[in-house]
């Protein structure tokens, strides 16, 4: 089926063929975003810029932990502050000062125009785009896929297939070691 969308103040109309099973985003966008995260491991430093609200911070944290799970250790997280935005020149200077090789922006809305044109960029968002998406960016958007998922749920769906879950033997050893440490701490506190 086709869905008619109106984006931006210029009332550009787009007809997009929606996949029948495309929630919370298209499978192609999810595939491309997963590949972006895998490629980050070999590129170098990653800068994650989430919104400062709960949705933005959670989506940023999910992506941060996923990159760690993939073996990446050079990750910088810089939430936007009040009145800051990734499309402002002053904030672009802050981002460049972090010397990233890749940029990931979560829950900050989408609009036309590059954020940092020299960097591979992933946008994870659910807001209605303003005049389109940044040129050259990999975009994972829940907009247009009803019900519209928040960025944190979008990040979870993006990242969950990439996370290495510990085997049952390592999780049982973790629980037995935590049981041992809690019983030793309770015995030491009862002796005082």
């Amino acid at each position: 089926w086709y869905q008619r969308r109106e984006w931006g103040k210029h009332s550009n109309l787009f007809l997009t063929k929606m996949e029948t099973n495309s929630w919370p985003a298209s499978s192609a966008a999810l595939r491309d975003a997963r590949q972006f995260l895998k490629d980050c491991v070999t590129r170098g430093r990653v800068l994650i810029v989430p919104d400062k609200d709960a949705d933005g911070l959670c989506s940023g944290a999910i992506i941060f932990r996923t990159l760690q799970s993939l073996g990446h250790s050079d990750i910088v997280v810089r939430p936007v502050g009040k009145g800051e935005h990734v499309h402002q020149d002053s904030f672009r200077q802050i981002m460049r000062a972090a010397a990233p090789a890749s940029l990931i922006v979560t829950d900050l809305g989408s609009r036309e125009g590059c954020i940092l044109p020299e960097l591979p960029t992933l946008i994870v968002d659910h807001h209605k785009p303003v005049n389109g998406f940044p040129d050259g960016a990999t975009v994972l958007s829940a907009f247009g896929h009803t019900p519209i998922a928040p960025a944190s749920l979008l990040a979870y769906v993006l990242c969950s297939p990439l996370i290495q879950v510990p085997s049952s033997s390592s999780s049982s050893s973790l629980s037995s070691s935590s049981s041992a440490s809690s019983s030793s701490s309770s015995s030491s506190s009862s002796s005082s």
Side-chain angles (χ1 to χ4, degrees), residues 47-63 78-81 84-87 103-111 115 121-129 133 138-143 148-156 158:
L47 174 60
I48 301 173
V49 182
D51 193 7
K52 62 191 169 301
D53 65 10
D55 191 31
L57 293 173
C58 288
S59 58
I62 291 167
I63 292 171
R78 175 39 166 99
V80 295
E84 292 179 324
H85 198 275
V86 293
H87 287 280
L103 174 65
I104 300 172
V105 177
T106 66
D107 194 35
L108 283 172
S110 299
R111 66 174 155 192
I115 298 170
T121 302
L122 172 63
I123 308 288
V124 178
D125 196 50
H126 63 105
H127 299 97
K128 180 179 180 180
F133 296 103
T138 301
V139 177
L140 179 61
S141 177
F143 182 76
I148 297 173
S152 53
L153 179 57
L154 196 55
Y156 173 79
L158 165 65

Side-chain angles (χ1 to χ4, degrees), residues 41 66-73:
V41 176
T66 300
L67 289 170
Q68 286 183 320
S69 173
L70 292 172
H72 204 313
S73 59

Side-chain angles (χ1 to χ4, degrees), residues 146-178:
T146 55
I148 297 173
S152 53
L153 179 57
L154 196 55
Y156 173 79
V157 171
L158 165 65
C159 295
S160 58
L162 301 175
I163 298 287
Q164 301 299 317
V165 178
S167 67
S168 59
S169 61
S170 61
S171 61
S172 63
S173 67
L174 287 174
S175 62
S176 63
S177 67
S178 64

